[in-house]
């Protein structure tokens, strides 16, 4: 599983830049098991410094590309490269801290405020008020750098959910739906990403 994660990261790093330099680099979300976190969670003794081994730090520093939804002096917001559903956004503080419980109160407040702002923009842009908002700490945290997932909930209609629902004869349970969606995740298409960016940015 770890080797698969590394191979995917290397593949993304080697891809050529797309329109407006928007080729995504980040591999994020719960795409590997907890073994990745247990191996790496103690790698940085100084959690408030830049980490060369951190995927998000490389993107924040400009060494890696991503589909940027929003950016200011403290926070970066990008589209997840392996979205659970269309519109899956990551809100990432620029300071490298591994655990939410270690975050400075002032920065935590700024991040929380932006999470709410982006959530509102998503609900308008996608005409869907239902969301999952998650911040993992160590358990199920694939990248040891604090980040919030904002994921539009399934509407159980339309093409965006048809693949996940194809194997069910009736509306599945919440857990069954999550498992199906997780296994069907695919790398974000550049054209789809640019459409999403336009919709979301116009509502921020």
């Amino acid at each position: 599983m770890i080797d698969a994660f590394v191979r995917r990261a290397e593949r993304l790093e080697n891809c050529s830049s797309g329109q407006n330099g928007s080729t995504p680099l980040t591999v994020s979300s719960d795409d590997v098991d907890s073994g990745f976190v247990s191996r790496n969670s103690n790698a940085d003794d100084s959690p408030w410094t830049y980490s060369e081994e951190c995927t998000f730090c490389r993107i924040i520093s400009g060494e890696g590309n991503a589909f940027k939804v929003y950016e200011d002096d403290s926070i970066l917001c990008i589209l997840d490269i392996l979205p659970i559903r269309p519109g899956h956004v990551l809100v990432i503080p620029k300071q490298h801290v591994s655990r939410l419980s270690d975050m400075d109160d002032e920065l935590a407040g700024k991040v929380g405020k932006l999470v709410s702002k982006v959530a509102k923009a998503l609900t308008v842009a996608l005409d869907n008020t239902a969301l999952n908002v998650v911040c993992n700490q160590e358990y199920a945290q694939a990248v040891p750098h604090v980040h919030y997932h904002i994921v539009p909930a399934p509407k159980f209609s339309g093409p965006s959910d048809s693949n996940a629902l194809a194997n069910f004869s009736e509306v599945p349970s919440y857990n069954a739906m999550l498992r199906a969606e997780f296994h069907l995740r695919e790398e974000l298409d550049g054209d789809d990403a640019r459409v999403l960016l336009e919709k979301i940015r116009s509502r921020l």
Side-chain angles (χ1 to χ4, degrees):
M1 183 67 75
I2 302 304
D3 291 340
F5 179 91
V6 172
R7 287 195 299 272
R8 179 173 289 170
E10 290 174 345
R11 175 168 55 84
L12 292 173
E13 286 177 339
N14 292 329
C15 65
S16 59
S17 295
Q19 181 178 345
N20 298 324
S22 296
T23 302
L25 168 66
T26 179
V27 178
S28 54
S29 306
D30 312 332
D31 197 46
V32 294
D33 63 13
S34 58
F36 178 84
V37 176
S38 65
R39 174 185 280 190
N40 291 277
S41 59
N42 295 321
D44 54 314
D45 295 329
S46 180
W48 290 99
T49 59
Y50 170 86
S51 172
E52 293 183 354
E53 298 180 355
C54 175
T55 301
F56 292 159
C57 282
R58 295 199 303 271
I59 292 172
I60 290 165
S61 70
E63 297 174 36
N65 296 319
F67 291 109
K68 295 182 182 179
V69 175
Y70 172 89
E71 183 175 20
D72 61 27
D73 291 341
S74 303
I75 307 167
L76 177 66
C77 180
I78 63 177
L79 295 177
D80 195 309
I81 185 59
L82 292 170
I84 295 176
R85 303 176 200 112
H88 184 166
V89 171
L90 304 178
V91 178
I92 310 164
K94 289 187 173 181
Q95 289 178 304
H96 182 78
V97 58
S98 299
R99 304 173 184 86
L100 178 64
S101 58
D102 294 334
M103 188 181 292
D104 172 83
D105 288 347
E106 181 179 357
L107 180 57
K110 291 179 180 179
V111 173
K113 184 176 181 180
L114 184 60
V115 166
S116 179
K117 183 177 181 178
V118 173
K120 182 177 181 180
L122 272 174
T123 61
V124 177
L126 302 182
D127 190 28
N128 183 5
T129 58
L131 298 169
N132 296 121
V133 180
V134 179
C135 181
N136 297 313
Q137 177 163 307
E138 296 186 0
Y139 178 77
Q141 182 184 7
V143 180
H145 182 133
V146 171
H147 57 286
Y148 279 83
H149 299 265
I150 307 177
V151 188
K155 300 174 78 172
F156 299 107
S157 63
S160 63
D161 298 309
S162 59
N163 289 337
L165 291 171
N167 295 324
F168 296 100
S169 58
E170 57 186 27
V171 175
S173 68
Y174 174 76
N175 287 335
M177 184 69 186
L178 285 181
R179 286 194 296 271
E181 289 180 315
F182 181 84
H183 289 296
L184 287 168
R185 293 168 72 183
E186 296 180 349
E187 186 176 327
L188 181 63
D189 176 78
D191 291 335
D192 292 342
R194 282 182 279 276
V195 171
L196 283 168
L197 286 178
E198 183 177 352
K199 287 182 177 181
I200 301 168
R201 286 172 175 169
S202 66
R203 271 76 176 185
L204 284 171

